[in-house]
Amino acid sequence: MYVYQDYDQRLLEERVAQYRDQTRRYLAGQLSEDEFLVLRLQNGLYIQRYAPMLRISVPYGLLSSEQVRTLAKVVREYDKGFCHVSTRQNIQLNWPEVQDVPDILAELASVQMHAIQTSGNCIRNITTDEYAGVNPKEIEDPRPWCEIIRQWATFNPEFAYLPRKFKIAVNAVPDADPALIGVHDIGVKVIHNDAGETGFQVWAGGGLGRTPMTGQVIGEFVPWQHLLAYLEAILRVYNKYGNRDNKFKARIKILVKALGAEKYRELTEAEFAELKDGPMTLTEEEVARIQGCFTEPAYRDDVDNGVLDKALQENRAFNRWYHTNTRAHKRDGYRSVTLTLKKTGRIPGDVSDEQLEAIADLADRYSFGELRNTHQQNMVLSDVAADDLFELWEKLDALGMATPNLGLLTDIVACPGGDLCALANAKSVPVAEGIQRRFDDMDYVHDLGPLDINISGCMNACGHHHIGHIGILGVDKKGKEFYQITLGGRGDKLSRIGEKMGPSFESYEVTDVIEKIINVYVDKRLENEPFIDTYERIGMEPFKEHVYG
């Protein structure tokens, strides 16, 4: 992991002290609500439906066991004993008190964590593939590039007041998009040219929300030395021409569509010409310094694969979990293990203080003291030896984190929705639970194969419903909760926006509608054909016809 230098820590502690004084003045009546609004948003504090919400930054999803233990202490002392893993790999507290937030931020600062730029019209958390650094398919580790972008973006005064919030993701896997760069304001794809030199294909103009769009390629091959200058050029064009009069038209996706990709590229290249070879040019020494923070752990050479083979033969439940919830690793004898936070009856993405402490212990014992958050609201132990997998599975099962449903129908992504969020039109969590309970036969769920269901409580799309194979969006109709269904979205090999199926449904109808959709798939699929492939082959009409009669 990147380890803070003295100046990193000093900046963070100064920021905490500054916000403590701002909070004191607000509580003393010396700052108005409007004056305090800007200050609290700069420190990740929202006011939600019933209580404040604090969003804690987890850069590119990476956490140490020490940080997880501190999170456990914070949610136990300052919240209701649980926190939430968001779809942008951050952590959210849903019940902190305004007066306690400075103390929370001080606790976080002690382990190199913060809530800076998790809100407001600025560059938000930099995200990537949850298996970054251990994914055998990536061409190189994207995390150093994420860290370089993070350091450039944090406290960057030029981009502190953009027309709207701004999100950047980095991907290093060819022919796939596990980081969802296609639906980010800027997507950075690590590529190599014919000479084997590292560069970046840079996308811009993607995003979900009210007007979902996939991005356009703006830079075909940006040499690594000029990554920051090129990103700055894209942002300068957006900062100049972005709509500041209408927040619904203020995202970069609207500007890229209005200008066209070619014009946006032309404007970017003009800015880039002024910035190229300037102070933002990356040097080999600086890149090597950052890369040196992401060294390989002390992998064992004596892993006994026979222990794993024996357990797979003797225990069917373990075998199922292994093939569903673990992934190939770049190092022989190791696997990456996903801890599913999607057990039926649990709010998707929620994790308790006791579970956090147990996870930290497991990370120390089995994964070199590190873990990651995923944008599917799960957590990952990325470096587990094969002969430890059975023992780890037993412990995860006892914690309720070994549900073998990763990437399957009941691994539902859902925002907190109307249960907590002030912006939501409808609840998300009860809909997710209703579907999970209807499809509680794990044999059947496994037979269905890969199937993404994503639920959002409003058009802000925090549940990424647009890119679910089946997307569910909560809408308000004359004060009643209705749900709109989309089909055909995806966020795996490519990012694509789903298509609306038709008129929306009342909450009590949603589970039946999902079952009808699944029935069409089962009836029409070819042997071993995943849902998304069946949809792409037969189109919307058979589903629409069966659902609407």
Side-chain angles (χ1 to χ4, degrees):
M1 296 180 67
Y2 177 76
V3 178
Y4 280 17
Q5 306 297 306
D6 289 342
Y7 56 83
D8 296 303
Q9 190 64 34
R10 185 170 64 252
L11 279 171
L12 192 52
E13 290 170 358
E14 289 173 355
R15 182 61 175 262
V16 172
Q18 179 191 57
Y19 185 65
R20 187 181 294 281
D21 184 59
Q22 291 166 347
T23 302
R24 178 192 62 77
R25 287 188 287 145
Y26 166 68
L27 295 174
Q30 297 169 4
L31 292 175
S32 68
E33 289 284 352
D34 287 344
E35 289 170 328
F36 187 60
L37 171 67
V38 177
L39 302 176
R40 65 172 170 80
L41 288 179
Q42 289 176 345
N43 291 276
L45 185 63
Y46 292 76
I47 303 300
Q48 296 287 60
R49 189 179 296 268
Y50 302 113
M53 182 271 280
L54 180 67
R55 181 178 295 134
I56 299 166
S57 179
V58 184
Y60 36 95
L62 189 60
L63 288 161
S64 70
S65 57
E66 181 185 23
Q67 290 172 331
V68 174
R69 287 192 182 91
T70 299
L71 286 171
K73 181 175 183 289
V74 165
V75 301
R76 182 167 53 249
E77 294 182 0
Y78 298 105
D79 208 288
K80 293 191 174 183
F82 63 90
C83 61
H84 180 76
V85 178
S86 81
T87 51
R88 298 207 74 253
Q89 300 177 294
N90 289 318
I91 293 288
Q92 294 182 178
L93 306 184
N94 287 308
W95 300 95
E97 299 289 347
V98 171
Q99 65 270 21
D100 290 335
V101 172
D103 291 334
I104 294 172
L105 296 179
E107 291 270 11
L108 295 174
S110 71
V111 290
Q112 303 182 2
M113 296 186 74
H114 59 79
I116 296 164
Q117 292 182 208
T118 59
S119 178
N121 297 335
C122 57
I123 300 172
R124 303 285 187 90
N125 187 38
I126 312 301
T127 60
T128 190
D129 176 9
E130 61 262 32
Y131 305 115
V134 300
N135 190 333
K137 296 181 180 180
E138 68 189 14
I139 61 174
E140 62 179 79
D141 188 347
R143 293 174 301 170
W145 302 113
C146 291
E147 178 59 29
I148 287 169
I149 296 170
R150 183 195 74 82
Q151 292 193 21
W152 161 78
T154 303
F155 294 131
N156 190 323
E158 186 171 353
F159 307 126
Y161 295 98
L162 293 166
R164 279 288 273 132
K165 57 186 178 181
F166 204 91
K167 301 173 182 179
I168 301 175
V170 184
N171 174 35
V173 181
D175 304 319
D177 187 16
L180 304 177
I181 66 169
V183 288
H184 276 74
D185 297 285
I186 289 180
V188 177
K189 185 173 184 177
V190 185
I191 56 177
H192 291 164
N193 64 13
D194 293 339
E197 298 167 322
T198 295
F200 305 94
Q201 186 184 71
V202 182
W203 297 49
L208 302 177
R210 187 173 297 271
T211 49
M213 299 180 194
T214 53
Q216 304 286 323
V217 175
I218 302 299
E220 287 287 358
F221 184 86
V222 178
W224 63 265
Q225 297 92 333
H226 303 305
L227 171 63
L228 297 185
Y230 203 83
L231 296 183
E232 183 132 337
I234 290 176
L235 273 147
R236 282 190 174 183
V237 173
Y238 172 52
N239 219 2
K240 280 184 181 180
Y241 300 106
N243 189 323
R244 293 179 181 272
D245 297 325
N246 184 340
K247 71 176 184 178
F248 300 120
K249 296 181 179 180
R251 298 294 293 270
I252 190 175
K253 60 189 176 183
I254 305 297
L255 182 61
V256 171
K257 183 178 180 181
L259 294 176
E262 190 59 42
K263 180 63 176 178
Y264 202 100
R265 186 179 301 111
E266 177 186 321
L267 293 169
T268 296
E269 291 294 336
E271 293 285 350
F272 180 56
E274 296 182 9
L275 296 167
K276 187 179 180 182
D277 299 321
M280 282 178 295
T281 304
L282 293 170
T283 64
E284 290 184 1
E285 293 77 14
E286 180 60 11
V287 172
R289 182 182 76 85
I290 299 296
Q291 288 174 333
C293 297
F294 299 91
T295 54
E296 283 191 353
Y299 292 124
R300 290 166 43 206
D301 293 322
D302 61 346
V303 176
D304 186 353
N305 286 297
V307 173
L308 171 62
D309 294 338
K310 186 173 184 291
L312 290 171
Q313 292 171 10
E314 294 178 352
N315 192 302
R316 182 174 178 269
F318 170 70
N319 189 303
R320 169 174 280 177
W321 172 84
Y322 171 84
H323 285 100
T324 306
N325 286 36
T326 76
R327 292 291 182 269
H329 196 284
K330 68 178 183 181
R331 176 82 175 207
D332 288 342
Y334 281 80
R335 302 284 288 186
S336 294
V337 174
T338 299
L339 287 56
T340 45
L341 307 183
K342 308 293 179 62
K343 186 175 182 179
T344 299
R346 162 187 283 161
I347 296 173
D350 272 16
V351 57
S352 71
D353 57 332
E354 293 94 344
Q355 288 171 325
L356 286 169
E357 288 181 334
I359 291 168
D361 291 342
L362 295 177
D364 284 337
R365 169 67 182 83
Y366 299 107
S367 194
F368 304 99
E370 288 187 2
L371 62 150
R372 294 106 180 278
N373 291 340
T374 83
H375 62 251
Q376 298 93 356
Q377 301 175 301
N378 292 313
M379 302 179 92
V380 169
L381 297 177
S382 57
D383 301 280
V384 182
D387 50 9
D388 285 332
L389 285 169
F390 183 77
E391 184 176 287
L392 173 61
W393 168 72
E394 289 183 310
K395 293 179 179 180
L396 290 175
D397 192 40
L399 288 170
M401 294 183 173
T403 306
N405 66 345
L406 183 65
L408 303 179
L409 185 150
T410 56
D411 182 23
I412 297 172
V413 173
C415 69
D419 287 306
L420 294 174
C421 181
L423 300 177
N425 295 313
K427 294 181 173 66
S428 300
V429 174
V431 175
E433 184 174 350
I435 295 168
Q436 287 175 322
R437 294 195 182 282
R438 176 69 59 89
F439 295 95
D440 63 351
D441 182 343
M442 197 56 68
D443 288 334
Y444 182 67
V445 169
H446 274 257
D447 179 65
L448 292 175
L451 210 170
D452 297 337
I453 295 183
N454 292 41
I455 308 174
S456 299
C458 76
M459 284 300 298
N460 285 296
C462 294
H464 292 178
H465 67 278
H466 295 295
I467 56 172
H469 299 157
I470 300 174
I472 303 174
L473 167 65
V475 294
D476 176 77
K477 284 191 173 183
K478 297 180 180 179
K480 294 187 68 175
E481 295 182 355
F482 277 72
Y483 296 85
Q484 185 180 88
I485 308 296
T486 58
L487 299 179
R490 63 188 306 169
D492 46 11
K493 294 180 181 179
L494 67 151
S495 294
R496 189 179 64 203
I497 307 302
E499 178 187 359
K500 293 178 187 177
M501 190 168 65
S504 56
F505 303 92
E506 291 195 57
S507 56
Y508 73 88
E509 300 176 286
V510 174
T511 302
D512 290 336
V513 169
I514 300 303
E515 186 169 18
K516 289 178 180 180
I517 291 170
I518 299 304
N519 288 341
V520 173
Y521 161 55
V522 170
D523 181 56
K524 301 291 186 181
R525 66 178 174 178
L526 304 177
E527 185 176 2
N528 298 320
E529 186 178 44
F531 176 89
I532 190 63
D533 290 351
T534 300
Y535 176 82
E536 291 175 355
R537 179 172 55 82
I538 69 175
M540 176 67 80
E541 284 309 309
F543 294 96
K544 198 170 183 178
E545 185 177 313
H546 187 65
V547 169
Y548 292 103

